[in-house]
Amino acid sequence: MALAEINFDGIPGPTHNYAGLAHGNLAAERNATHAADPRGAALQGIAKMRALAARGYAQAVLPPHERPFVPALRALGFAGTDDHAVVAAAARAAPTLLAACSSAAAMWTANAATVSPSPDTADGRVHFTPANLVSHFHRSLEAPVTTRILRAIFGDPVRFVVHAPLPAAPQFGDEGAANHTRFATAADAPGIEFFVHGASAYDTSAPRPARYPARQTLEASAAIARRHGLAPARTVHAQQLPAAIDAGVFHNDVIAVGSGTLLFCHEHAFVDQAAVLAQLGDAVGDAFTALVVPAHAVPLDVAVSTYLFNSQLLARADGRFTLVAPLECREHPATARYLDDAVASGGPLAEVLTFDLRQSMRNGGGPACLRLRVTLTDDERAAVGARVFGDDALFAALEAWVRRHYRDRIVAADLADPALLDESRRALDELTVLLGLGAVYDFQRDHR
Ligand code: SUG
């Protein structure tokens, strides 16, 4: 049964804005007062999908979430005769909470879930654990809706299990596939699943960052490996270097990316890095290759500002990889030089494609943040009922949909505009029909 990786990219939502909500995410903190362009954000994301699909890489989409999220505002005590009045009450009393409930952060689908393909799991089904994202309130709102959306797409219980998110407590902080990598020696071989945590919740003797939060715990990663039925011999856990988290590496995918038998990472990615690489080598086998970038070539702060490692590694027929990187990597001399040399050396990187994803990048989201990798057999793919797989017709329909509904400028004050709530709901209502998803949003369920 042929197994193929499908990239499920998030579509930036109609309320995309910069609110400085993510502590330790330097780009998001720096751009807090910038005006955002939701239309541009969505079109940049679709352009990346379109280009990769045109090169033959399987592409699918995950929809934005409903924002502003009125149920959360009501839960926080903002009341009113209708939803507009609730938004107005929040805008008056607590604009920061309105911004948190208006964030389009669900676009970063690398944080939607951790996915274990069927060859890796004890029961032979594809397992999904939606991330609880408890480290930030604005992101924690995503978990129940992501669960609902994944269940709408992967509804066949014979082939798929969409678990509930882990318990919503800091001890089980889980940020999904951004801290998870799957290696495999051949397309159909069982994978080696590599989980990276920021800290252990209970082992207080282990090192931890001093300045910024460690978002993923060892206990969360271990619970996911257990519930997905992964073989311990094919599961590796590692800890992120606390100094890297304190330098702005808030997820492992800001400092490492892996695929097939290749790991591309910075020299300051993991605690006891030599031991981690040796363990991966043992688990993956002789073909395992670590392409480790030294700090003298790309200092940690440059890795964070360019998002060199927040790239996609796409397998090629010749066994090498295409690196899909942010445009910022071409613009910085250190990363541009590193990539030119890497390609010229004839090593595992055959080609580098860069994309302008600046709207997302300003909130700390690069190419890899915007996609969730789901590896499926042909039968599993055929069992997906929703129309989420990308082809020219779908991309054209999505672009037209974005141009019809999205604004090209949003600043903090716009979040209070009652028309934005209506526009956003109209857009999402239409999208669920376009994607064949059914009523996945609260506003569709409450008002029908
Ligand atoms: O959780 N930014 C997101 C970016 C997530 C990037 N994802 C991966 N690395 N996989 C975050 O920090 C900023 C929102 C704001 O400030 O408006 C934000 O949530």
Side-chain angles (χ1 to χ4, degrees):
M1 186 56 57
L3 226 72
E5 174 183 292
I6 302 164
N7 282 291
F8 279 73
D9 277 47
I11 304 172
T15 61
H16 162 60
N17 72 100
Y18 302 116
L21 298 171
H23 186 46
N25 170 341
L26 305 186
E29 290 187 318
R30 198 171 297 136
N31 291 307
T33 56
H34 241 89
D37 169 6
R39 187 191 299 161
L43 294 176
Q44 286 174 352
I46 296 167
K48 170 170 87 87
M49 293 189 233
R50 210 188 238 293
L52 300 186
R55 287 177 165 248
Y57 294 104
Q59 189 65 63
V61 298
L62 286 173
H65 289 195
E66 154 189 3
R67 295 289 182 273
F69 194 45
V70 176
L73 292 172
R74 287 190 189 274
L76 296 175
F78 301 110
T81 45
D82 61 13
D83 289 351
H84 290 157
V86 173
V87 170
R92 271 193 308 274
T96 306
L97 294 181
L98 176 59
C101 294
S102 301
S103 171
M107 74 175 83
W108 299 299
T109 54
N111 305 119
T114 303
V115 187
S116 296
S118 50
D120 302 0
T121 65
D123 66 4
R125 293 187 291 173
V126 186
H127 284 244
F128 298 78
T129 290
N132 60 27
L133 294 166
V134 289
S135 75
H136 289 84
F137 167 65
H138 72 288
R139 301 227 55 188
S140 70
L141 302 176
E142 295 166 38
V145 182
T146 297
T147 306
R148 213 183 279 155
I149 290 170
L150 291 176
R151 286 181 179 159
I153 298 173
F154 302 102
D156 177 356
V158 175
R159 295 181 170 82
F160 307 118
V161 195
V162 179
H163 295 272
L166 289 173
Q171 289 80 1
F172 293 101
D174 172 26
E175 305 259 330
N179 298 311
H180 174 254
T181 307
R182 178 176 188 265
F183 298 100
T185 47
D188 299 357
I192 304 301
E193 299 206 13
F194 178 46
F195 291 84
V196 182
H197 55 275
S200 162
Y202 290 99
D203 178 3
T204 47
S205 67
R208 54 182 61 241
R211 190 163 180 218
Y212 292 136
R215 298 197 194 185
Q216 180 89 27
T217 68
L218 168 61
E219 290 77 2
S221 298
I224 293 168
R226 262 192 306 273
R227 52 159 54 176
H228 288 196
L230 304 182
R234 295 201 311 268
T235 306
V236 177
H237 291 274
Q239 186 181 356
Q240 261 187 285
L241 201 67
I245 295 179
D246 283 339
V249 182
F250 57 96
H251 288 136
N252 178 59
D253 70 2
V254 178
I255 197 140
V257 56
S259 180
T261 56
L262 177 66
L263 174 67
F264 177 49
C265 68
H266 193 268
E267 74 166 308
H268 297 314
F270 311 113
V271 171
D272 291 334
Q273 184 143 325
V276 170
L277 299 185
Q279 217 185 330
L280 284 173
D282 288 345
V284 178
D286 290 344
F288 178 70
T289 307
L291 185 58
V292 180
V293 180
H296 67 75
V298 178
L300 202 47
D301 63 321
V302 176
V304 172
S305 67
T306 60
Y307 260 41
L308 171 63
F309 299 98
N310 200 260
S311 293
Q312 295 177 243
L313 279 175
L314 299 176
R316 292 157 46 100
D318 63 4
R320 299 168 76 206
F321 290 89
T322 294
L323 189 81
V324 175
L327 189 58
E328 284 74 356
C329 294
R330 276 268 159 258
E331 294 171 345
H332 195 288
T335 43
R337 192 176 325 115
Y338 177 82
L339 289 172
D340 285 344
D341 291 351
V343 170
S345 74
L349 301 184
E351 178 192 26
V352 177
L353 295 178
T354 54
F355 287 91
D356 177 0
L357 296 164
R358 271 194 231 287
Q359 284 294 320
S360 166
M361 284 286 283
R362 288 198 184 114
N363 254 340
C369 298
L370 284 163
R371 62 92 174 95
L372 178 67
R373 289 181 281 190
V374 182
T375 297
L376 299 177
T377 64
D378 294 343
D379 281 359
E380 288 159 355
R381 184 181 168 138
V384 170
R387 190 186 166 216
V388 289
F389 297 108
D391 53 22
D392 278 345
L394 183 66
F395 297 133
L398 287 173
E399 282 163 349
W401 169 81
V402 168
R403 292 187 203 284
R404 246 188 340 271
H405 294 286
Y406 279 51
R407 300 185 183 191
D408 62 4
R409 183 182 155 86
I410 288 197
V411 295
D414 295 318
L415 301 176
D417 180 357
L420 184 64
L421 174 74
D422 297 342
E423 286 163 28
S424 189
R425 287 183 176 176
R426 254 196 315 274
L428 296 186
D429 218 13
E430 222 181 86
L431 185 66
T432 50
V433 176
L434 185 64
L435 300 180
L437 283 175
V440 289
Y441 299 116
D442 290 64
F443 77 88
Q444 295 174 313
R445 299 172 154 218
D446 296 346
H447 299 289
R448 278 187 181 170

